[in-house]
Amino acid sequence: DQHVAHERVLFDRLWNAGRVAEGPQPLLLPATVRVSRSEALALEEHRGLLEQMGFQAEPFGEGSYQLRAIPRALVGRNYQTAFADLLAELAEQSHGGQVQLQPEQVAAAAAGRSCKSAVKAGQPLAESEIVQLLADLRETDNPYTCPHGRPVFLTYSEAEVQALL
């Protein structure tokens, strides 16, 4: 399942970004991200975990943060949207910053972000993209399931395959 496989790859890259030797990717030009009050509270409450993931952000006036570094997994992707979506999920899960989330809950928010960013089931991929996805999947902590527990690999009987043809 290409969606589930890509979701696993993105999650592992995002979740492990701050733990690898390379660390986060500093941005040449910091990006300004607008945040709601509840997102700002969630960011401050979970700053340590966000930094472990590779996000480095500083307050930049009322309702804004400057994103100074991102997880290497987001290089070449829309990291501002990824960061904003992750903050929105953290704010929702922590009820506007009123509840301290456990690392597993922050991981769940990262999993949600990975799911939204992953290629879709049935989306055409070039052969080189398929080969790269499989190579990336081999490098993950758990290449058998997505962060939500869905299986990456499915087994079909010969009769089931024939029925599809």
Side-chain angles (χ1 to χ4, degrees):
D1 184 325
Q2 68 186 26
H3 171 73
V4 175
H6 194 220
E7 185 178 343
R8 167 52 69 184
V9 168
L10 292 176
F11 172 79
D12 275 27
R13 285 181 179 170
L14 184 60
W15 187 243
N16 294 323
R19 296 183 180 102
V20 295
E22 304 104 33
Q25 173 64 51
L27 297 175
L28 184 59
L29 298 172
T32 303
V33 178
R34 301 277 307 152
V35 297
S36 68
R37 184 177 181 282
S38 61
E39 291 166 346
L41 288 170
L43 188 155
E44 292 302 331
E45 189 72 28
H46 302 93
R47 179 177 293 282
L49 285 170
L50 289 167
E51 287 179 356
Q52 284 179 3
M53 294 171 72
F55 289 108
Q56 294 176 2
E58 299 174 356
F60 190 67
E62 192 172 330
S64 295
Y65 276 79
Q66 272 201 331
L67 197 52
R68 298 196 167 275
I70 60 171
R72 290 190 185 269
L74 295 178
V75 171
R77 300 186 183 276
N78 190 340
Y79 55 84
Q80 289 172 283
T81 300
F83 182 68
D85 288 351
L86 184 56
L87 284 183
E89 289 187 41
L90 287 175
E92 183 177 315
Q93 287 185 28
S94 65
H95 308 290
Q98 302 302 312
V99 177
Q100 171 66 38
L101 297 176
Q102 298 302 311
E104 301 80 34
Q105 293 168 301
V106 176
R113 176 65 230 156
S114 299
C115 185
K116 291 175 185 174
S117 298
V119 296
K120 305 304 175 219
Q123 179 179 336
L125 297 177
E127 184 176 343
S128 61
E129 293 172 311
I130 295 168
V131 169
Q132 186 62 55
L133 178 58
L134 291 172
D136 292 343
L137 184 62
R138 280 193 293 273
E139 301 297 320
T140 64
D141 293 337
N142 178 358
Y144 304 107
T145 65
C146 78
H148 302 106
R150 292 187 311 272
V152 170
F153 300 100
L154 304 173
T155 304
Y156 294 100
S157 68
E158 185 177 340
E160 290 172 312
V161 172
Q162 290 298 324
L164 293 173
L165 302 176

